[in-house]
């Protein structure tokens, strides 16, 4: 278990989610702990409540039972300590890339010069140095998600909540964005909670994979693949993916996701 | 950063703007070949030619349908010599001034109202019935009441036009606000935005295209209301030019308008034709004169 032992920061404790007007709960009794330095990925078939859980952590959805806390404080509303990146970028098209990144700083009343300086730093971090003055519609899907990540990091969050951030990208861009995500994660010392449909993506990125099953959403298994730590310590992503251990883990994870399927 | 400081997107020209466009809207790809402008120009020429032709063929009496050239000449005369104590420019300025004063008033009132309707249940509960009550009433119906309450001066004219503009602006704003993507709002909140900041930095700019559409509709409604208001009570403005001065009212009583028959004719014809209005010899006029 390569999982670093740290004080758990973001905690979902026995969380059940029940949407109004729904006969059954969407999620029942799920507990997840995320420390700084963790990269936790939620996987599972559609309807297993991955995004619902992420929204509870974000403070956008209140759990019906159980508790969501950050550093022991209950989560009652969204906050910049838990910045969210959505699948459909959710960028502001009336702002340039730089102004989008600086949005959180502007909300805090940071002056224009300091804002621009900090935004340019973050744009450089996501390898978009020259795109600062561009409008959102001038950027490709992958570039937009980079802007979205930089914008979230500008809020200096303790945790990044990623709701299928690479879901709308083509396969090649997706692969490159995975390493970008890992680079950001190692560089910025944040804890990540991410939802994805990609099995390989989960293996590459996660320090811990939580497999959920639907009806109602519950945890069926937890993996600690450790490939992302190998990448962080300098190993090339291709070497990792070519490792027979990667293929074995892939098979195991796929089985876990589709386990209850026959029933 | 405020809305006014958005920079215009590059290459935004009138020719490529179809419908409403905001500075950040994606530019439409330029099509080659004939432009819509060219087609429009041809359309206008065809309509003018049809007009001239029907005058030439005397399909309608030239008194009721003067030729384009006659209308143009009259336009020049009115523009140069003025019409009833004011030049054409002064009439136009008077009308535009009223419409734009009303537009500003409508924006100040209706945009916040629309925001309230779109954002909060309480706001919708308060303003929705009021707007739905006001919306179907034709401005001419409340015009007399407004004049009784607020007098015959400038404020009541502007007020009537403002009322006519309120509903389109407020309803468009509300629908624009309701159309703002939840993801955008959630993203802003998770970046630390307060409720007020979400409204100012996310909802308002997101709804701006819808608000602009509402303003455009409102300008149309305001313009037709303006003409009605000026028809009833004004000494200047384009609506006043349609009606002309009321004789015996102590002002603008021009000598060339004589008996009632002439006056009637002058009303039927365009005011531009008043100066040279000659008896048409229609039986209706004669009967009316007998009846006097």
């Amino acid at each position: 278990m390569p999982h670093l032992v740290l004080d758990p920061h973001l905690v979902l404790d026995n969380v059940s989610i029940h949407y109004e007007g729904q006969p059954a709960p969407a999620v029942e009794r799920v507990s997840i702990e995320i420390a700084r330095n963790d990269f936790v990925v939620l996987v599972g078939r559609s309807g297993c409540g991955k995004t619902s859980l992420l929204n509870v952590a974000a403070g956008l959805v209140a759990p019906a039972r159980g508790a969501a806390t950050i550093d022991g404080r209950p989560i009652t509303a969204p906050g910049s300590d838990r910045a969210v990146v959505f699948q459909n970028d959710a960028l502001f098209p009336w702002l340039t890339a730089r102004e989008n990144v600086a949005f959180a700083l502007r909300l805090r009343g940071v002056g224009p010069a300091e804002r621009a300086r900090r935004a340019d730093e973050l744009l450089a971090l996501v390898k978009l140095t020259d795109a600062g003055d561009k409008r959102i519609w001038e950027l490709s899907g992958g570039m937009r998600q980079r802007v979205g990540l930089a914008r979230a990091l500008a809020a200096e969050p303790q945790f990044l909540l990623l709701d299928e951030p690479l879901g709308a990208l083509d396969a090649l861009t997706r692969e490159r964005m995975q390493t970008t995500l890992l680079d950001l994660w190692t560089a910025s010392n944040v804890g990540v909670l991410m939802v994805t449909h990609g099995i390989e993506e989960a293996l590459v990125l996660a320090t811990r994979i939580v497999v959920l099953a639907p009806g109602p959403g519950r945890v069926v298994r937890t993996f600690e693949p450790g490939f992302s730590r190998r990448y962080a310590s300098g190993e090339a992503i291709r070497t990792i993916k070519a490792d027979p251990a990667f293929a074995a883990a892939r098979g195991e994870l796929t089985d876990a996701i589709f386990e209850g399927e026959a029933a | 950063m405020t809305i006014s400081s958005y920079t215009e997107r590059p290459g935004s020209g009138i020719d490529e703007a179809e419908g409403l466009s905001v500075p950040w809207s994606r530019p439409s790809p330029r099509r080659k070949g004939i432009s819509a402008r060219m087609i429009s120009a041809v359309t206008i020429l065809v309509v003018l030619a049809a007009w001239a032709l029907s005058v030439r063929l005397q399909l309608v009496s030239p008194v009721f349908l003067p030729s384009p050239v006659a209308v143009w000449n009259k336009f020049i005369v009115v523009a140069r010599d003025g019409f009833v104590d004011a030049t054409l420019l002064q009439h136009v300025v008077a009308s535009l001034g009223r419409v734009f004063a009303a537009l500003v008033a409508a924006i100040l009132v209706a945009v916040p109202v629309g925001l309230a309707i779109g954002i909060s249940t309480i706001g919708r509960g308060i303003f929705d019935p009021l707007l739905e009550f006001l919306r179907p009433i034709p401005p001419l119906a409340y015009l007399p009441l407004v004049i009784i309450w607020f007098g015959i001066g400038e404020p009541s004219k502007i007020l009537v036009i403002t009322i006519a503009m309120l509903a389109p602006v407020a309803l468009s704003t509300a629908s624009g606000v309701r159309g703002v993507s939840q993801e955008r709002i959630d993203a802003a909140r998770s970046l630390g935005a307060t409720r007020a900041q979400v409204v100012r930095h996310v909802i308002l700019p997101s709804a701006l295209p819808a608000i602009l559409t509402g303003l455009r509709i409102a300008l149309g409604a305001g313009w037709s209301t303006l003409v009605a208001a000026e028809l009833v009570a004004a000494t200047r403005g384009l609506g006043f030019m349609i009606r002309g001065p009321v004789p015996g009212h102590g002002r603008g009583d021009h000598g060339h308008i004589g008996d009632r028959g002439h006056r009637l004719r002058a009303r039927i014809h365009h005011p531009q034709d008043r100066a040279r209005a000659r008896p048409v010899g229609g039986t209706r006029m004669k009967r009316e004169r007998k009846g006097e």
Side-chain angles (χ1 to χ4, degrees), chain B residues 19-30:
Chain B
L20 268 178
S21 130
V22 284
W24 55 87
S25 58
R26 187 189 293 268
S28 51
R30 300 198 75 136

Side-chain angles (χ1 to χ4, degrees), chain A residues 55 58-61 76-84 86 90 92 103-104 107-108 151 155, chain B residues 181-199 201-203:
Chain A
N55 284 340
L60 295 167
V61 168
T76 54
S80 55
D81 49 353
R82 290 155 282 129
V84 186
F86 294 94
F92 306 128
F103 188 77
L107 295 177
R108 290 175 195 171
R151 182 177 70 170
Chain B
S181 100
Q182 190 60 43
E183 264 193 8
R184 240 181 231 177
I185 295 172
D186 287 346
R189 289 175 70 204
S190 91
L191 291 171
T194 62
R195 217 175 136 80
Q197 282 176 322
V198 168
V199 171
H201 294 297
V202 181
I203 292 179

Side-chain angles (χ1 to χ4, degrees), chain B:
Chain B
M1 170 146 177
T2 54
I3 292 161
S4 60
S5 64
Y6 296 140
T7 48
E8 189 72 14
R9 65 183 159 83
S12 79
I14 310 155
D15 52 340
E16 65 180 15
E18 274 185 50
L20 268 178
S21 130
V22 284
W24 55 87
S25 58
R26 187 189 293 268
S28 51
R30 300 198 75 136
R31 269 170 250 109
K32 285 183 181 170
I34 30 172
S35 70
R37 267 185 168 185
M38 291 274 289
I39 298 171
S40 301
V42 172
T43 305
I44 291 167
L45 284 177
V46 167
V47 170
L48 282 174
W51 178 7
L53 190 68
S54 62
V55 170
R56 173 63 56 88
L57 297 176
Q58 302 218 315
L59 296 176
V60 188
S61 156
V63 175
F64 297 107
L65 186 68
S67 72
V69 177
V71 170
W72 174 253
N73 289 339
K74 202 72 215 172
F75 172 77
I76 299 293
V77 169
V78 174
R80 192 187 53 217
D81 302 341
F83 174 80
V84 191
D85 301 341
T87 65
L88 180 63
L89 189 68
Q90 286 171 318
H91 285 297
V92 170
V93 166
S95 290
L96 284 178
R98 285 168 193 144
V99 167
F100 281 104
L103 184 68
V104 170
I107 290 171
L108 290 178
V109 176
V111 169
V113 165
L115 278 175
I117 292 175
I119 291 169
S120 90
T121 316
I122 297 170
R124 195 166 68 232
I126 293 172
F127 293 117
D128 231 16
L130 295 180
L131 271 183
E132 290 303 327
F133 174 74
L134 202 60
R135 198 163 60 101
I137 305 176
L140 268 182
Y142 48 74
L143 179 60
L145 210 54
V146 170
I147 288 176
I148 289 167
W149 288 342
F150 299 98
I152 207 157
E154 216 52 23
S156 61
K157 280 186 279 277
I158 292 170
L159 182 63
V160 168
I161 302 166
T162 305
I163 296 173
M165 287 178 159
L166 285 181
V169 177
L171 294 177
S172 301
T173 305
S175 90
V177 168
R178 277 194 286 261
V180 180
S181 100
Q182 190 60 43
E183 264 193 8
R184 240 181 231 177
I185 295 172
D186 287 346
R189 289 175 70 204
S190 91
L191 291 171
T194 62
R195 217 175 136 80
Q197 282 176 322
V198 168
V199 171
R200 180 165 164 237
H201 294 297
V202 181
I203 292 179
L204 211 50
S206 294
L208 195 56
I211 295 174
L212 290 179
T213 304
L215 291 184
R216 196 158 84 152
I217 297 168
L219 274 175
W223 195 252
S224 40
T225 308
L226 164 95
V227 170
E230 288 179 344
L231 268 170
V232 175
T235 57
R236 261 184 204 179
L238 297 173
F240 165 77
M241 288 181 77
I242 294 174
R243 187 206 56 181
V246 179
H249 225 250
R251 59 176 149 71
D253 211 351
H254 282 208
H256 62 262
I257 305 174
D259 63 331
R260 184 151 172 243
H262 267 85
R263 220 164 71 223
L264 251 172
R265 264 199 312 285
R267 258 189 240 183
I268 294 166
H269 311 162
H270 222 247
Q272 294 142 333
D273 272 317
R274 178 165 306 170
R276 54 170 185 180
R278 269 169 268 116
V280 203
T283 48
R284 211 171 72 86
M285 299 293 179
K286 282 175 186 157
R287 255 206 311 278
E288 197 152 334
R289 236 176 263 178
K290 270 183 223 155
E292 254 179 13

Side-chain angles (χ1 to χ4, degrees), chain A residues 194-205:
Chain A
M194 171 165 157
V195 165
T196 182
H197 278 113
I199 291 173
E200 193 166 297
E201 188 166 293
L203 287 169
V204 169
L205 296 175

